[in-house]
Structures are given as structure tokens and as C-alpha cells.
Amino acid sequence: MEKIVILTGAGISAESGLGTFRDKDGLWTKYPLEDVATPEGFARNPALVQDFYNLRRVGAAAAKPNPAHIALARLQTGWPGEVVIVTQNVDGLHEAGGATGVIHMHGEIAGALCAFCGHRWRAPDEMQVAEPCPACAGPGGRPDVVWFGEIPYHMDTILRHLGEADLFAAIGTSGQVYPAAGFVQEAAARGIPRVEMNLDPSETSPVFTEHRIGPASETVPAWVAEFLNPAGG
Ligand code: APR
């Protein structure tokens, strides 16, 4: 039975009230990403970076999954084939909506990582500068998110899933950040159908075989319904 691999970006969480990055008044229009989403920025001004993620962590914890997150979880339970969700998002809204096995290639804002010993733990709502690591007690606590210049997580697993996919979908991503933006090329190389759901055309739109334009809270449930009750009943 068909294996479906789905890549999501900030656009799927936009209607849950979480900002995107590159839309009008997106996060990167308010904070220079070099200052808040790079290891150099963290070394230069750890307080600014911790504050940036503290704000986003509290926002993400308060946000609710929207019909798009919930529809993908329904697809996972209702579709007889495997449904793998790979997200660039660091919020936990896929899981809050009932999804399982979500692959967070850019990490999770609810997680903390020790820059010294690599220990991971659940981040406090507010992380301090020199946040102490519960394992090594060193002052290396940082958000467990992948910054620009760092290697995304779980790439081997993601590429294996892409190699086994019968259908690829991308939801709410501008297709501007690699390696995620290259996943549709992998799918194209294998000649499988590729559907993009977005408010607007993205950088990688030409590589998709199907486009569903509109807010994810509408396009995703409609798309999922076609799998779960194909007769449209
Ligand atoms: N429904 C569907 N799509 C939407 C909606 C919505 N309600 N609102 C916005 N979008 C689309 C925009 O049209 C855009 O294509 O979501 C996309 C958001 O793009 P970005 O802000 O670039 O977010 P994303 O693609 O997830 O960024 C990738 O860049 O900064 C890094 O690590 C960060 O994971 C992020 C990565």
C-alpha cells in the first residue's frame, strides 16, 4: 500500500498563531537570523538568543493544533500505508494534533541541549544564559534547535523514507532552506507524484506535479479526505 512522506514548514502552524519566517512581518523581518539562529550569534550574545527562543517556546506551548495538524494525524491512523511526517518546525503541534513518529529535522524548541556534553533534557520555559546542564553541570545549556550552519537531524532516516515513498507532499514551506528544499528533487528523481500545499507558489513550486493553493487549515483536511473517503461520501 502507498507510502506517503510529508514535509511541513512554518506555514502549517501559521493558523495556530505561530509566526512564519519569510512572510510579510515574519520572524526574520524582526530579528536578524545571523544574531539569533547561528552558533556565532549564540557565542556573541547568548542572552539575546535565549530570550528569542524563550519567547517562541512560551508561544509554542500555548498554541493549539489547527485542522491541518489534526488532518495529518487522521491520515496516519486511517491510511493503511505508512505516513511519515518530516517537519522543519520546532513546535510540538503535530504531536499535539495526534501525529506520531514525527521527525523534527530542525530540532524541538521544548528541548534543551548541552553544548559541552551533548546531554538533552526538557527545556525550562525560560532558559538562562549559562543554563546549567543536569548531566555535566557545565553552563552549556542551549535550545535543542538546528541553527544555520549546523547539520539537520535524522537525515539518513529522512532520505531512506524518501527512497521508499510512493507520494511526496510539502505543506507550508517556502522551499528556500536546504536540505529540506531538496526533498522534492529526490521525489522527482524517483518519478513519484509530488503535491505542494501553500498559500502562494514557493521557490520549488515548478518541481511539484500538483498544487493546492490556500490556507493549510482548508487545503490539508480536503486533501486528507480524498484518501480516507475516496468516494467523497
Ligand atoms: N497555509 C499554508 N501555507 C502558508 C500559510 C498558511 N496559512 N501561511 C504561510 N504559508 C506559507 C508561506 O507562503 C511560505 O511559503 O508557508 C511558508 C513559510 O515559509 P518560511 O517562513 O520560509 O518557513 P519555512 O519554509 O518553514 O522555513 C524553513 O527556515 O529559518 C529556517 O529553520 C527555519 O525551519 C525554518 C526553515
Side-chain angles (χ1 to χ4, degrees), residues 10-142:
I12 198 169
S13 296
E15 292 164 270
S16 295
L18 298 187
T20 61
F21 296 96
R22 295 175 183 81
D23 287 328
K24 175 180 58 59
D25 68 30
L27 281 169
W28 296 151
T29 66
K30 296 177 189 140
Y31 300 84
L33 71 85
E34 304 71 36
D35 293 347
V36 294
T38 62
E40 297 76 14
F42 185 60
R44 223 177 12 252
N45 186 343
L48 175 70
V49 175
Q50 295 287 23
D51 287 351
F52 174 67
Y53 285 95
N54 289 343
L55 267 178
R56 291 181 61 201
R57 185 175 300 107
V58 170
K64 297 277 173 278
N66 67 57
H69 298 108
I70 293 164
L72 292 188
R74 286 217 185 96
L75 182 64
Q76 280 190 320
T77 46
W79 183 248
E82 191 180 2
V83 177
V84 177
I85 299 170
V86 179
T87 189
Q88 300 171 89
N89 301 340
V90 294
D91 63 57
L93 292 178
H94 281 299
E95 294 86 347
T100 55
V102 178
I103 300 174
H104 284 269
M105 64 182 290
H106 290 166
E108 296 181 72
I109 199 163
L113 167 69
C114 178
F116 298 164
C117 77
H119 178 65
R120 285 185 162 85
W121 69 100
R122 185 159 183 80
D125 284 351
E126 308 260 328
M127 289 187 85
Q128 309 306 320
V129 174
E131 178 80 22
C133 167
C136 74
R142 56 165 277 188

Side-chain angles (χ1 to χ4, degrees), residues 154-174:
H154 312 302
M155 282 306 294
D156 294 346
T157 304
I158 294 168
L159 292 173
R160 178 175 59 77
H161 285 308
L162 285 171
E164 297 166 354
D166 300 298
L167 171 64
F168 176 72
I171 303 170
T173 181
S174 62

